[in-house]
Structures are given as C-alpha cells and as structure tokens.
Amino acid sequence: MTQIDGKLPNLYGRWSLYVALAGLVFVLLAMLDSAPYSNVEQDFTVDGSIRTGSLILPTNSETPRAVMIFVHGDGDMGRSAFGYYYPLWQRLAKQGIASYSWDKAGVGGSDGNWLKQDMQSRAQEIHAAIAMLRQQQQLKDVPIGLIGFSQAGWVMPKALKDFTQISFAVFVSTPVNWLKQSEFLTQIRLQKEGVLGDAKLQQMQQAQNVSKLIAQGEAHSAYVDFLQQTDPDAVDSAMSPERYHFVQQNILADSEQDLSGIKQPIFVAFGNHDSNVNVPYNVRQYERIFANNASQLQLNVYQNANHTLLKNSEFGHLSPSLWWLIKMSLWEEDGFSEQFVDDVMLWLNTQLTQLATQKTQSLGA
C-alpha cells in the first residue's frame, strides 16, 4: 500500500483513537450500569470555599456499614483519581461500605487552587467533609474511615489525631518525611539517567542545596538565580512559581509526631516495585513509631506492586493516560496486586466487627 504525503498513518492514528474512545465509553457505561452503588453529587464548604464531590452509596443496604473518605495524593486530582478509585468503590459497596471523594481545590467544580494548600489545610477539608456526611440521615451514626494515597500520608495523621470521629485509616504508599522522599526521588532519577560516581555525588549535593534554599524561605527568583549560577541546564525544567510555593509550604513535612499522637488502628500498604517511595526506609519508620503499640498497626509489602499498588508487570510501564484508563477499566479490581484489596477488606471488616462489639458492650453496661 502506497503512502501519500504521510496522510495514511495519520488516518490510521485518528481511527485508532476513535476506536479506543468508543471502547472506553462502552466499558465505562457497562461498569456504571453494573456498579453496586449509586453515585450522588455531594458538595461541602471549607473556609467559605466549595469542594465538589461524589458520595458512593451501596445499593445493597439502606444504611451503609461505614463510609470511607478518599484522600488524594499529589497533583490535580479529580474525585475519581482518573478512574483509579472505581474498582475500590465497587468492592467497598459490595461490602456495604459507602465512599466519599471530592475534586481537589481548583479541579472540576471545586473552588481554590490545590497548589496553595499545605497539609494542615487539607486535613481541614477532611473535617469539613465529615461534618457534611454527618448531616446525611443514613450516615449520621456509621463509622468513618480514611483511605489515602502517597502525599495523603502527611494529611491523614493530622486529621486522625485531631478528630475522634474517625475510627480507622488505610495508608497506601505513604512516605513519612518529605526531605527523605525528595532525596530518594533524586537518587531514582540519577539511576535512570545512568549518572554514577562523582557526578552522582555532585548532583545529590546540588539537590540538597536546592532543598535547603527552599526550606529557608528564599523567593522563587532566588531559586532560579541559584540554578543559573550552579546548574544552568536545569533552569528550563525549574519549578513554576506556583509549584515552588507549594513545595516551600510543605518541604518540612514529617508525619512522625502526628502518627505518634493517633489512637486509631491503621493499615499501611507498600509495593515492592515502588519507584516513588523508599519502601524499606518507610517500613522501618512505621514499625519504629508504633513499636510500643504494634497491635495498632498492620503493615504489608505487596509483591509485583508499584506505587499505586497496581500489578507492576501490567501497569508499571504505563502512566495515567487514555490507554491506562482503558486497561484499568477492563482489569478493574484484578489490576491491583494479589491480595491487596482482599487484605484491606478483611481488615476493615475486622475493625467494624470490633466497633460493633464495643458498642453492644457499652449499651449493655
């Protein structure tokens, strides 16, 4: 077949995109039609700012057994995290558990700008969401839990230690210390780029100097000037003023003190193929923090699992995109590492059983 002016490949490309989009729409419609839940638009207000969200109510019960609040990681996340939450919502609904998630500030219909938030303000969002949920007749007395991802590891402990209405929490791929996390990401980047020896040491020192400059409160212009003087090639990829301000607000984040102050049981999950978080280091931190109350912590490291706890062999080479969403839609819960979802559900059921027993004993007394 003869190619004329390069148009044939473009035609094929367009048609493949159309077919993929049609397939995605079909799969999503099928999923929604068979989903064991209803998706109710439910917003709340925090400090006069609206957050738009979805309340996922199981259809197998008028009164859910509990409600899980989803807490996003980094980035401009909408309420479903690009469809990543759908399989989890489904499984929770099958267990009679409701879910609630919202669009981050400045995303979807939500007011504000998530880049202007620190971890404490994000914890305040959780408190405001709980206040709204408690106004719902079917949720006014049910246990409330959190499930959060990555950066949420600095948000949830603040909400947990300040709010007794939260009964338990699930932490997924959550680092403890921001600076240690930043250092690890630099090491991974240099490893991928094949930088070794003295060159690696120099670049690691450069990254530490940048972090120090940010932590000291220097202006964005000073940061750019520093790069121009020390690493001109890095100027083109420098953080925007907005991202710089966000990092500056949060660079000293460390969840140890907040974690030490919580009383609720927590489930912590990591994947052994996580290239975003230093898993061995963070496992040690969690085990050390809860060493005096080991029963409060369940911590599992899953095999063949990446940062999202999806199967690394199937999703490790993909980033969130149209093709990622199609594959996620087709695989649903099976996309997650073996046992991860089952383990979370078993743990949640255990917590709910214990809470029910305590409530019965309290009423009997």
Side-chain angles (χ1 to χ4, degrees), residues 274-302:
D274 195 330
S275 58
N276 293 67
V277 170
N278 186 337
V279 172
Y281 170 80
N282 284 286
V283 166
R284 291 194 299 271
Q285 300 312 302
Y286 275 101
E287 290 176 340
R288 178 180 57 80
I289 292 167
F290 291 95
N292 294 328
N293 194 1
S295 63
Q296 189 179 351
L297 170 71
Q298 178 167 332
L299 191 154
N300 294 348
V301 178
Y302 292 90

Side-chain angles (χ1 to χ4, degrees), residues 96-287:
I97 299 173
S99 302
Y100 182 68
S101 182
W102 60 90
D103 303 318
K104 287 179 78 170
V107 179
S110 290
D111 295 335
N113 182 347
W114 65 270
L115 285 169
K116 293 183 178 180
Q117 293 185 298
D118 60 15
M119 300 302 125
Q120 185 62 52
S121 68
R122 293 195 59 202
Q124 289 300 121
E125 286 181 323
I126 296 174
H127 297 166
I130 290 173
M132 176 275 294
L133 293 171
R134 286 304 192 206
Q135 294 174 5
Q136 313 304 310
Q137 182 63 30
Q138 70 271 49
L139 301 177
K140 66 177 183 178
D141 295 318
V142 305
I144 291 177
L146 308 178
I147 177 169
F149 308 83
S150 194
Q151 193 180 94
W154 293 302
V155 180
M156 294 192 297
K158 294 182 180 299
L160 286 161
K161 74 180 180 64
D162 292 338
F163 217 60
T164 56
Q165 289 194 49
I166 305 171
S167 299
F168 41 75
V170 177
F171 289 63
V172 181
S173 303
T174 49
V176 171
N177 181 280
W178 185 294
L179 285 171
K180 289 287 186 182
Q181 166 70 4
S182 179
E183 181 180 316
F184 177 74
L185 287 174
T186 300
Q187 291 175 336
I188 292 296
R189 175 178 62 80
L190 295 176
Q191 178 181 320
K192 290 179 178 179
E193 294 173 358
V195 180
L196 302 170
D198 290 342
K200 178 180 179 179
L201 292 175
Q202 290 173 3
Q203 292 205 33
M204 288 296 299
Q205 184 61 54
Q206 170 74 357
Q208 290 175 9
N209 290 338
V210 169
S211 292
K212 183 177 179 181
L213 180 148
I214 296 171
Q216 287 175 338
E218 297 290 346
H220 180 264
S221 57
Y223 156 70
V224 174
D225 289 343
F226 178 78
L227 291 181
Q228 288 175 334
Q229 295 169 16
T230 60
D231 189 8
D233 292 338
V235 173
D236 289 341
S237 58
M239 287 182 280
S240 67
E242 294 79 13
R243 180 69 187 184
Y244 181 87
H245 178 66
F246 174 77
V247 172
Q248 194 162 63
Q249 289 185 95
N250 298 293
I251 196 169
L252 298 180
D254 187 303
S255 61
E256 178 172 350
Q257 184 173 354
D258 291 331
L259 286 168
S260 299
I262 70 174
K263 303 301 181 184
Q264 301 92 329
I266 67 171
F267 182 105
V268 179
F270 290 106
N272 70 327
H273 285 280
D274 195 330
S275 58
N276 293 67
V277 170
N278 186 337
V279 172
Y281 170 80
N282 284 286
V283 166
R284 291 194 299 271
Q285 300 312 302
Y286 275 101
E287 290 176 340

